[in-house]
Amino acid sequence: TIRYLAGIAGPSGFGSNSTAEQVTQQYSPSNNLTALITGATSGIGAETARVLAKRGVRVVIGARDMKKAIKIREKIQEESPYAEITLLEIDLSSLASVRRFCSEFLALELPLNILINNAGVYSHNLEVTEEKIEMTFATNYLGNFLLTKMLLDKMIDASNKTNIQGRIINVSSAVHSWAKRTCFCFKDMFNGKNYNGTRAYAQSKLAMILHVKEMARRLKVKNARVTINAVHPGIVKTEIIRAHKGLITDFLFFIASKLLKTISQGASTTCYVALSQKIEGVSGKYFVDCNESDCSSLANDELEAKKLWNNTNTFLHKHLRHAPIGSSSSIFS
């Protein structure tokens, strides 16, 4: 807590006060990298897209609201006129939308070096998707799992051709530690049984870290030149809390303003893990304030990670059995 409040730098040389521009300042692009970022039309995602574009990375923004995406692209290109920004529509709560998005992205025949699973929602009340899946679980975890699954071969191919290590980043949260083992059941999370908004959000963020742990293990076994890590951006007032706007919420954020990160500080860890040479080869880790950190004991449970992985794969193969679902890599077998 003292380190956070004082902004004391960790082993990486950066800390809680570091901004996205600061942590990428030493990055000099010698290669034409392509980064795909979901949820980049506001907040941390938009700042991540802006800074990566400023550093010469080609950016593909996966967005649910294309009008917002167009405005973000215009804003980025005002600052970086030569930035390559491609916009594609995606709704991560819809498995059908994820499949369409991946088909459209692959048709562009771009390499894929960095995949940032940033998009997320918080739903105070129980909502279900068009496929009858609880909204928070579907958007924050299941949609990102399928997206990664369908684009993994593209990332492996890019790393083999360019000899540049691919990087996958799951934007999680310290809130993952609030999830309890007794409530962490795939079927219940899927159906929204006994729904509680905060618990559902915490469970989805825990699932994202477990995804990182199991996928990192599988990538290592197959000697794939792709890493995957999770990041906690910090507490930032972004649109994730749009369902909680109100007098009390605004008052609490005003009181706690000294503890909150700016959006640029919130995007710093994602940008650091995306571009830093210091973490070349690092995989399966959890980063906070641009430094490796500890996650909960449940998030480190290998058996829980394997169980979630198997349940997720089983569901996707059953639900999408009449449609191609991407990666032929044995990593997902």
Side-chain angles (χ1 to χ4, degrees):
T1 302
I2 293 173
R3 181 182 292 276
Y4 172 83
L5 292 175
I8 299 172
S12 68
F14 303 108
S16 62
N17 287 344
S18 301
T19 66
E21 288 201 26
Q22 289 171 343
V23 303
T24 59
Q25 200 164 18
Q26 301 302 316
Y27 176 75
S28 53
S30 55
N31 302 289
N32 194 16
L33 299 181
T34 299
L36 167 57
I37 310 171
T38 63
T41 56
S42 63
I44 294 168
E47 177 67 1
T48 300
R50 182 188 74 82
V51 172
L52 293 190
K54 187 173 183 177
R55 302 306 180 211
V57 178
R58 179 193 294 115
V59 174
V60 179
I61 293 177
R64 184 175 56 178
D65 188 327
M66 293 302 287
K67 289 182 178 179
K68 285 186 177 180
I70 291 170
K71 290 180 180 179
I72 289 296
R73 179 172 62 183
E74 291 173 350
K75 187 175 180 180
I76 292 173
Q77 290 180 332
E78 284 178 7
E79 179 184 9
S80 304
Y82 299 104
E84 288 188 58
I85 311 289
T86 300
L87 309 179
L88 293 175
E89 186 174 2
I90 184 172
D91 180 353
L92 280 162
S93 72
S94 164
L95 300 179
S97 177
V98 173
R99 295 200 308 274
R100 284 195 300 271
F101 172 89
C102 290
S103 295
E104 292 172 3
F105 175 79
L106 293 173
L108 297 176
E109 298 186 347
L110 295 172
L112 181 56
N113 310 102
I114 303 166
L115 170 60
I116 301 176
N117 292 315
N118 169 79
V121 299
Y122 174 91
S123 180
H124 181 67
N125 299 312
L126 175 62
E127 298 180 60
V128 294
T129 69
E130 60 188 31
E131 290 135 334
K132 309 304 180 185
I133 307 169
E134 189 279 307
M135 182 67 72
T136 303
F137 184 72
T139 306
N140 295 2
Y141 169 67
L142 199 57
N144 285 313
F145 186 100
L146 179 59
L147 180 69
T148 304
K149 179 182 179 74
M150 295 192 70
L151 297 181
L152 180 60
D153 282 346
K154 187 67 172 178
M155 295 196 74
I156 293 175
D157 179 64
S159 68
N160 290 336
K161 287 181 178 178
T162 63
N163 206 33
I164 300 171
Q165 183 182 75
R167 299 187 183 191
I168 303 169
I169 300 160
N170 280 3
V171 179
S172 182
S173 170
V175 173
H176 81 272
S177 63
W178 298 0
K180 305 300 181 184
R181 187 182 298 271
T182 53
C183 300
F184 195 75
C185 170
F186 183 88
K187 184 178 180 181
D188 290 347
M189 292 186 292
F190 180 91
N191 294 325
K193 182 179 179 181
N194 299 321
Y195 185 80
N196 173 278
T198 301
R199 181 174 61 212
Y201 184 75
Q203 289 172 337
S204 71
K205 292 303 183 178
L206 170 61
M208 292 189 77
I209 300 178
L210 290 170
H211 176 212
V212 164
K213 298 291 184 179
E214 178 62 12
M215 188 167 181
R217 185 187 69 80
R218 290 170 177 260
L219 288 167
K220 183 177 181 181
V221 168
K222 298 300 180 180
N223 292 315
R225 293 206 65 210
V226 176
T227 64
I228 180 168
N229 291 289
V231 304
H232 166 53
I235 304 173
V236 183
K237 186 177 181 182
T238 66
E239 288 192 10
I240 194 71
I241 61 158
R242 56 185 174 270
H244 278 272
K245 285 181 179 177
L247 181 61
I248 294 176
T249 302
D250 289 344
F251 176 73
L252 289 175
F253 269 100
F254 173 76
I255 295 298
S257 61
K258 296 298 181 181
L259 302 178
L260 299 179
K261 286 188 173 185
T262 65
I263 287 177
S264 187
Q265 290 169 341
S268 64
T269 305
T270 301
C271 290
Y272 175 80
V273 176
L275 296 182
S276 175
Q277 294 181 349
K278 293 181 180 179
I279 62 167
E280 181 80 14
V282 174
S283 192
K285 302 299 182 181
Y286 174 65
F287 285 80
V288 179
D289 298 334
C290 303
N291 291 276
E292 282 188 40
S293 186
D294 296 325
C295 48
S296 71
S297 59
L298 184 53
N300 277 317
D301 190 321
E302 292 182 5
L303 293 178
E304 200 67 51
K306 290 179 183 178
K307 184 169 71 173
L308 178 63
W309 180 281
N310 291 334
N311 284 333
T312 306
N313 254 335
T314 297
F315 164 75
L316 289 175
H317 280 290
K318 181 180 179 180
H319 188 79
L320 306 175
R321 60 183 178 275
H322 299 305
I325 55 175
S327 179
S328 60
S329 171
S330 59
I331 288 169
F332 279 90
S333 61

